[in-house]
Amino acid sequence: MDWGWDRGGEYLDAAELVVGELAANAVTHGRVPGRDFLLTMVLVLPPEGGSGTLRITVADSRGERLPTPVPAPCPDGEHGRGLVLVGALALRWGVLPRLPAGKTVWAELPGPPR
């Protein structure tokens, strides 16, 4: 069955960018020696058809909460735009505690029309 996530589509491009940003943040800011991060993606289909939602989660072992809303990046800075991009592409995103230690950053993206 074709769910519309074909290569090169704008929905797939947005998903790739969000996965890349959340994974890069986990590696850069959430790394604890000897621990990895966990990436999951789930396509949630509505009961009566429609486009569905792609939920992306990245869990790491550091428990610091991310500032929400994310502060605006410095105009000439080289960093600080990843979560701004996630916020622009996602329907919604947030941070949850991960027990026993760590945090999970999640984002939900709209699926392509079917």
Side-chain angles (χ1 to χ4, degrees), residues 49-71:
S51 64
T53 302
L54 179 64
R55 183 173 175 91
I56 301 164
T57 62
V58 177
D60 64 47
S61 298
R62 295 195 66 163
E64 296 90 11
R65 298 275 304 187
L66 297 174
T68 51
V70 176

Side-chain angles (χ1 to χ4, degrees), residues 13-104:
D13 292 344
E16 288 175 348
L17 192 138
V18 169
V19 167
E21 290 297 337
L22 296 183
N25 281 350
V27 169
T28 304
H29 305 293
R31 190 162 118 37
V32 172
R35 300 272 179 110
D36 289 326
F37 68 91
L38 175 66
L39 166 71
T40 59
M41 296 188 304
V42 176
L43 182 59
V44 180
L45 297 174
E48 297 180 14
S51 64
T53 302
L54 179 64
R55 183 173 175 91
I56 301 164
T57 62
V58 177
D60 64 47
S61 298
R62 295 195 66 163
E64 296 90 11
R65 298 275 304 187
L66 297 174
T68 51
V70 176
C74 177
D76 22 335
E78 294 183 15
H79 304 285
R81 290 173 177 76
L83 289 177
V84 174
L85 289 172
V86 170
L89 294 170
L91 294 169
R92 60 193 152 271
W93 73 276
V95 183
L96 297 170
R98 178 185 186 202
L99 300 176
K103 67 181 169 301
T104 300

